[in-house]
Amino acid sequence: MMAGNRFEDAARVWDERYGTAEFVFGIEPNSYLARQAPLLKAGQRALAVADGEGRNSVWLARQGLRVDAFDISSAGVGKARSLAHDAGVVVNYQVSDCAAWVWNTDAYDVIAAIFIQFADPTLRAQLFAGMTAALKPGGLLIVQGYTPKQLEYNTGGPGVLDNLYTEPMLRAACAGLEIVELEEYEAELGEGKRHAGRSALVGMVARKPAHPVGDGTVPSP
């Protein structure tokens, strides 16, 4: 758990943000995540990181995956549970911050990290190391984030340069993974009131190799 009152402060901020009947980021999945549907298989085990009000975890469960999800906000997790109930799916929700989450080794076929840019560079390094470890060999990490150009648009995101993503940063953070897709692009987002309008985005899909990178074996296709 975060030192001192940092956990309580962050939880309070997000509880206030999610403490309305309205879904702040909508109830539809992130569009980049939804584009990866052909890569998913029913029965796979998935984790939705910092899942907020549940739109992405519920979508993963509707694809037939067995889904765990966590968020620092109890208000957000409460809304996520209601969303899952209404959708007729089961998701294992937990209230946790990223620093306290236990990243069990080789646990997941899919990990979705969608707009987790509250993380500064230090926490971000811990997050990506944890997610890499938690992927099963052959497992996929799906990431969506904002690039530094997003500061010009101001249509969502943290508004903090150090927390934004670039292709070189993601390649370095995922040095132990095989990059399947990595692109910076612009698009119109309509994901609730806080992700709305022209946006500077980056999307990445990376696969954990069946064998450690550089061990002389041929990676699985």
Side-chain angles (χ1 to χ4, degrees):
M1 186 171 291
M2 290 185 175
N5 293 322
R6 290 176 60 199
F7 174 86
E8 293 179 4
D9 290 345
R12 186 179 304 113
V13 168
W14 286 101
D15 280 345
E16 290 176 358
R17 187 167 295 178
Y18 292 141
T20 65
E22 179 184 23
F23 280 73
V24 176
F25 298 105
I27 61 174
E28 298 300 320
N30 169 256
S31 56
Y32 184 79
L33 175 63
R35 279 168 47 189
Q36 312 312 320
L39 300 177
L40 308 179
K41 297 178 182 178
Q44 288 180 321
R45 191 175 179 203
L47 173 66
V49 177
D51 187 54
E53 301 161 300
R55 64 191 180 113
N56 295 314
S57 59
V58 167
W59 180 82
L60 287 166
R62 292 180 70 178
Q63 310 313 301
L65 281 70
R66 296 174 294 127
V67 184
D68 295 336
F70 71 89
D71 195 86
I72 195 172
S73 168
S74 58
V77 169
K79 291 169 79 173
R81 289 183 174 131
S82 295
L83 188 65
H85 178 270
D86 291 345
V89 298
V90 176
V91 177
N92 175 31
Y93 288 111
Q94 302 291 331
V95 177
S96 176
D97 74 314
C98 291
W101 183 257
V102 178
W103 301 98
N104 293 320
T105 303
D106 297 347
Y108 294 102
D109 300 288
V110 178
I111 296 179
I114 308 300
F115 293 124
I116 59 169
Q117 290 175 293
F118 53 82
D120 62 20
T122 299
L123 178 57
R124 183 172 66 219
Q126 297 172 6
L127 269 171
F128 276 87
M131 293 188 295
T132 296
L135 282 173
K136 295 179 181 179
L140 295 175
L141 174 61
I142 302 173
V143 175
Q144 169 89 108
Y146 289 111
T147 71
K149 190 175 181 182
Q150 179 65 11
L151 296 176
E152 300 176 18
Y153 291 123
N154 195 30
T155 53
V160 178
L161 180 61
D162 284 348
N163 293 23
L164 300 175
Y165 295 169
T166 65
E167 286 192 21
M169 184 279 294
L170 287 172
R171 288 186 184 277
C174 299
L177 304 179
E178 301 165 348
I179 303 298
V180 177
E181 174 181 290
L182 177 55
E183 61 172 331
E184 293 187 14
Y185 63 99
E186 296 187 9
E188 295 287 334
L189 287 189
E191 301 180 358
K193 290 184 176 180
R194 288 185 174 268
H195 287 172
R198 193 68 178 173
S199 303
L201 303 164
V202 61
M204 182 187 73
V205 179
R207 177 184 289 113
K208 188 171 186 176
H211 302 281
V213 173
D215 71 350
T217 59
V218 178
S220 60

